[in-house]
Amino acid sequence: MAEHIIYLLGPYRIPGFQGERNVRVYLPSEGANAEPSPVLFLFDGQNVFHDDPSFSGGWHLHEAVRELADRGAVAPVLVGIDHGGSERLTELSPFPGDGSDGRLDDVLGWLTSEIVPAVRERFPVRRDAAGTAIGGSSMGGLAALYAHFRRPDVLGAALCMSPSLWFAERRIFDFIAAQPVPASSRLYVDAGAQEDDGSVLRDAARLVEHLRGRGYGEGNLLFCPDEAGTHGEDAWRRRAPGALQFLFAEAAREQPGGAGAPEGSQQAA
């Protein structure tokens, strides 16, 4: 089997934030003739691939994507966006509160104006909202949910693992209720029963009930409660393959034109 190659972009600076961060890109298949693939942008990029950069172990998501590709299933390009360390909470929170300034909108502005175009220019990825997803876990899961409803013109799907819906007095519920259902919307939501005495799972179930009441069904919303699930990378790593398969199973029905083969990027094994 060919080695896993992860392209390293950056380092980047987000206007108004301190420090620099890298962006890592993984392609499920290489070659100039590859069809444009759907693409999944992920918060907390340090946790997406290997164990070393992560605080408590990586998701090894590139291995799950490679397995999808080897089975002939639709496999997304992965784009892991590093968080800024001490500023992570402010970066990933859509609302002020709980020790955060709530500057996710600033991060989304940078993501959609700089990172999404850079990835589309260098890699063979889809350019439509239906083929472009955003994802994360915990605060990253909350950020992904908000990002989808805030910028559905760019981000047409979201992977929300153990989302921190409790944050800022659960303001995310009012926010989503005030937004129209996006024209392209595909959502994966999960949570574990062992997270915070079950409150994370109860909040996730409340979110799913609201979404189903607005017309979401089995085709565009998957809810995976995990009775054994805890709040950590090992649980998210275990559930990730099923999440990817659901989010991108329908992506093969449309194949808009994409960009060419990757150029001008470093490679990190």
Side-chain angles (χ1 to χ4, degrees), residues 83 86 128 136 172-173 217 261:
H83 63 70
S86 61
D128 59 322
I172 189 67
F173 288 99

Side-chain angles (χ1 to χ4, degrees), residues 147-168:
H148 169 59
F149 281 92
R150 185 73 173 84
R151 292 301 309 270
D153 56 314
V154 179
L155 307 167
L159 181 152
C160 309
M161 289 185 158
S162 302
S164 298
L165 304 173
W166 56 266
F167 187 82

Side-chain angles (χ1 to χ4, degrees), residues 2-152:
E3 65 176 334
H4 296 284
I5 296 176
I6 296 174
Y7 294 89
L8 187 65
L9 309 183
Y12 291 96
R13 286 186 175 271
I14 302 178
F17 291 87
Q18 297 180 357
E20 298 178 331
R21 78 271 325 280
N22 290 312
V23 173
R24 298 175 178 87
V25 181
Y26 178 75
L27 278 65
S29 60
E30 299 278 353
N33 296 324
E35 290 289 333
S37 299
V39 56
L40 173 60
F41 293 87
L42 291 140
F43 295 114
D44 293 326
Q46 291 95 329
N47 300 336
V48 171
F49 301 110
H50 301 104
D51 292 334
D52 291 345
S54 174
F55 177 74
S56 57
W59 290 19
H60 299 261
L61 208 57
H62 55 302
E63 297 176 0
V65 163
R66 174 65 68 81
E67 289 179 5
L68 286 176
D70 288 346
R71 298 202 312 263
V74 177
V77 169
L78 301 175
V79 183
I81 303 164
D82 285 2
H83 63 70
S86 61
E87 292 191 289
R88 175 180 179 269
L89 186 60
T90 285
E91 292 174 5
L92 297 182
S93 54
F95 318 107
D98 297 304
S100 165
D101 295 335
R103 296 185 57 193
L104 177 56
D105 278 335
D106 294 333
V107 175
L108 285 180
W110 168 76
L111 172 65
T112 56
S113 66
E114 185 168 354
I115 301 306
V116 171
V119 169
R120 288 176 174 175
E121 178 183 353
R122 300 184 190 190
F123 300 95
V125 300
R126 296 263 298 268
R127 296 170 177 262
D128 59 322
T132 307
I134 185 76
S137 63
S138 192
M139 283 298 296
L142 173 68
L145 180 66
Y146 176 89
H148 169 59
F149 281 92
R150 185 73 173 84
R151 292 301 309 270

Side-chain angles (χ1 to χ4, degrees), residues 219-241:
N220 60 354
L221 172 63
L222 178 61
F223 178 42
C224 288
D226 183 354
E227 290 300 319
T230 56
H231 198 79
E233 265 68 33
D234 57 342
W236 301 324
R237 179 169 59 244
R238 174 167 45 82
R239 300 195 296 258

